[in-house]
Amino acid sequence: MPNSTTVTEFLLMRFSDVWNFRVLHAMLFLLMYVATLLGNLLTVTVTTLTQSLHTPMYFCLRNLSVLDMCYISVTVSKARVIFLFDNRVISMVGCAAQIFLVILFAFAELLFLTIMARDRYVAICQPLHYPVIMNPRACVQMTLTSVFSGLIYAGVHTGNAFRLSFCHSSVVHQFFCDVPSLLKLSCSDTLSNEIVIFVSAVVIVGGCFIFIIMSYIHIFSAVLKLPTRGEQGKVFSTCVPHILVVTVFVISVTAMYLKPTSNSPTTQDMIISLFYSVVPPFLNPIIYSLRNKQIKEAIRRVMSRMLYSGK
């Protein structure tokens, strides 16, 4: 393009340029980051040290916790820097790395949540077959498949994005690099990128979401046949928050990635991105772990052993 400059680095956005708000946003992100790391680290530690929690369910939960710590670190760490300091620059390589890791962890997060929904379905609806279907080997295979397929998926989308030329602007209207924001900066034809994003979102994200919802429908149908309301309430109180987190995650990802690139960027886009990049890792340890009776009992035992050994 004539009279255009090729972009070699990008500028990330803040929620506000007012210093007081920048400090407030940095502190909020820091609190959420620390809480997420502590909650997930506690889950990993307890499920690793407690022999009775060496089951497929807690194996999946431990993997999800490790994933969440990595996921939130990719976006929040850089965001806190641009909130507090004047330097908002991120290199082309840094931006590519951030996009690759965000897509990888978001993709793996969705697959792990799908595996956990299947685990709950088999445990409640097919309890006699549970040891066969959710055996340790199957759990490891599903985990490795999720990670490797995530690597391929992230590689395809990242490579597809960075084959484009960027010359319209260097300002990424997000607090981290993501594909939709980059497409708005491209001076190349982005139709193929949009088609790939649309198809993959419909097939993979939509397919996983439908599978999760159908699994919980079968779970609820089985639970309603239980004789005691106490057991019904226990399952409902566990499953409903799971569904809410998955729904928020899927809707926010879909809204962000399927939004037409011609739309002008707004602060609303940045807020929507919070619901798939920051909120799920923050809420998962609360919903999946800290409300779990076995986890809470295991935490008490581990803390008691630590206090006793300290004396």
Side-chain angles (χ1 to χ4, degrees):
M1 287 184 65
N3 299 325
S4 63
T5 303
T6 302
V7 175
T8 57
E9 58 185 20
F10 299 101
L11 296 176
L12 298 175
M13 289 287 289
R14 307 185 185 101
F15 287 96
S16 173
D17 286 327
V18 179
W19 173 249
N20 290 343
F21 287 124
R22 285 166 56 183
V23 173
L24 175 62
H25 297 155
M27 291 302 297
L28 289 174
F29 268 50
L30 177 61
L31 290 174
M32 293 184 71
Y33 184 55
V34 171
T36 300
L37 291 184
L38 290 177
N40 284 293
L41 187 60
L42 184 62
T43 300
V44 172
T45 303
V46 169
T47 54
T48 302
L49 296 179
T50 306
Q51 191 67 34
S52 61
L53 299 183
H54 290 183
T55 63
M57 173 184 172
Y58 294 104
F59 174 79
C60 296
L61 186 58
R62 184 162 56 249
N63 290 335
L64 182 67
S65 295
V66 172
L67 175 69
D68 282 337
M69 287 189 286
C70 298
Y71 189 15
I72 197 170
S73 297
V74 173
T75 56
V76 169
S77 299
K78 180 66 176 178
R80 287 186 292 112
V81 173
I82 67 170
F83 290 163
L84 290 177
F85 300 99
D86 291 331
N87 187 5
R88 297 185 290 128
V89 173
I90 184 169
S91 66
M92 185 78 77
V93 173
C95 188
Q98 198 170 48
I99 285 179
F100 178 84
L101 292 173
V102 166
I103 295 176
L104 167 62
F105 294 139
F107 182 87
E109 175 104 3
L110 181 62
L111 292 187
F112 281 0
L113 292 172
T114 305
I115 293 170
M116 292 175 72
R118 174 174 170 77
D119 176 82
R120 291 299 82 210
Y121 164 75
V122 176
I124 294 174
C125 300
Q126 299 177 339
L128 297 179
H129 299 286
Y130 184 82
V132 176
I133 297 175
M134 297 300 294
N135 61 75
R137 183 179 179 182
C139 291
V140 172
Q141 288 175 341
M142 286 188 287
T143 299
L144 292 177
T145 300
S146 299
V147 174
F148 286 129
S149 57
L151 290 170
I152 295 171
Y153 186 81
V156 168
H157 282 286
T158 305
N160 210 23
F162 280 90
R163 69 174 178 78
L164 304 172
S165 299
F166 303 99
C167 53
H168 288 166
S169 172
S170 63
V171 180
V172 177
H173 288 270
Q174 268 292 2
F175 61 92
F176 64 94
C177 280
D178 68 345
V179 173
S181 299
L182 277 191
L183 295 186
K184 295 171 185 176
L185 308 182
S186 176
C187 48
S188 306
D189 182 12
T190 60
L191 179 60
S192 63
N193 297 73
E194 293 173 31
I195 291 174
V196 171
I197 290 173
F198 179 81
V199 172
S200 62
V202 171
V203 174
I204 298 174
V205 179
C208 288
F209 185 63
I210 291 172
F211 181 88
I212 291 170
I213 295 300
M214 292 303 297
S215 297
Y216 280 114
I217 288 174
H218 287 298
I219 289 171
F220 290 152
S221 299
V223 168
L224 290 174
K225 297 176 184 178
L226 294 175
T228 60
R229 289 190 176 274
E231 288 294 322
Q232 293 178 1
K234 180 181 176 181
V235 175
F236 278 120
S237 66
T238 302
C239 293
V240 170
H242 298 186
I243 296 174
L244 290 176
V245 170
V246 171
T247 302
V248 169
F249 179 71
V250 170
I251 289 177
S252 58
V253 167
T254 304
M256 198 66 218
Y257 277 76
L258 297 189
K259 185 178 180 181
T261 57
S262 58
N263 286 15
S264 57
T266 63
T267 304
Q268 183 182 10
D269 294 340
M270 297 173 67
I271 294 173
I272 290 174
S273 67
L274 285 173
F275 287 97
Y276 70 82
S277 62
V278 178
V279 172
F282 173 71
L283 290 181
N284 281 341
I286 299 172
I287 290 175
Y288 287 95
S289 302
L290 301 182
R291 295 176 67 252
N292 184 295
K293 184 179 178 180
Q294 287 179 289
I295 291 281
K296 287 191 287 189
E297 290 177 352
I299 291 174
R300 292 192 195 99
R301 288 197 296 269
V302 171
M303 294 299 292
S304 298
R305 287 202 299 267
M306 290 175 64
L307 291 173
Y308 181 77
S309 62
K311 294 178 181 179

